[in-house]
Amino acid sequence: MRELGFLSFVPNHGGTAGAAAALEDGLRLFETAESLGYGTGWVRGRHFEPFLTSPMTFFAAAAQRTSTIGFGTAVLGMRYEDPVRLAEDASTVDLLSGGRVQLGISTGIAGYGPILDPVFGTSERSFRDEAEARAARLLEVLQGEPLGTAGKGYESIPAGADLALQPLSQGLRDRVWWGGGSLGTAVRTAEKGLLLHCSTLNTEDTGAPFAEAQADQIAAYRERFAELHPHRVARVAVGRIVVPLLDDHDRQVHDEFLTGYASGMDDEGRPLSGPPFRFSKVLSGGIDEIVDALAADPAVQATDELVITLPANGDAAAHERLLRIVAEEIAPRLR
């Protein structure tokens, strides 16, 4: 592990009346994380849930209040993203922030299709095919390739000129990540020349323990990436839910999350109902216990960045305390 990052849902526990305060809490969390030495702050992109739904506008604000921390999406489901508009927004924020955007994408979760397709629009292609087509288009746009022509002229564009991304942020294309989850996805990510983001979810169950299966994905990704892109550096980020419990207040704050998370799966991270996924365990307890667990985790040992995934519940003070404990007492013992 060379870098430390964190992932926040930027939760809004206060409903409509609390939305502005929740976003402000999220911005302060990025400021605090930067002061603690975190390299990247990652966020989810969630639709219609009480979490952050517009990462790029949030990052634009965060860019004005920070100077070094990176801004990552982990991850945006491309089935419901417009690739040209996303590229425009991401490139704009990248320029505003001095090249700090880490753009994480994936296909998304097909099971949400029956709910979200009527809202965002249906497609004649399958969920995965539509998402893959939009992801490929996004990469073309970020590369600065012509997307069309101005014909007889278009506003300030002269006749016959190519239509390409404006503004174009050089280098952003090389900071696009794909959300992994299986061995095949890891290899395809390398073939696309993308960076690999492994979360707390594996989308296949190989029978191996969660961390070992993820370590196999990382190894396969690095091998294939080196074969196809020898002049570039492969990068991997791995997420883990880390919840230090150092006093009674910590245990009280996080009890609901810890109990709820454990109740939905067996001891090996298999959901008691639903698709054949595997989830990583929550690493909770004392400092020594957490350090030992992370040091023994083969995926964590193989990663470039350890991403501390914050619980979706808990208030801003609890999340800041968690990040501080990890940065000051856990991370130094892993480097």
Side-chain angles (χ1 to χ4, degrees), residues 13 72 82-83 87 90 95 110 138 143 168 205 214 229 233 237:
H13 304 305
D82 181 293
L95 292 167
L138 174 67
Q143 196 70 34
L168 174 65
D205 186 352
Q214 210 166 60
H229 314 285
V233 177

Side-chain angles (χ1 to χ4, degrees), residues 74-94:
V75 286
L76 300 179
M78 288 304 299
R79 169 62 185 88
Y80 303 115
E81 294 289 340
D82 181 293
V84 178
R85 284 292 299 117
L86 176 58
E88 290 174 335
D89 288 346
S91 189
T92 297
V93 175
D94 200 46

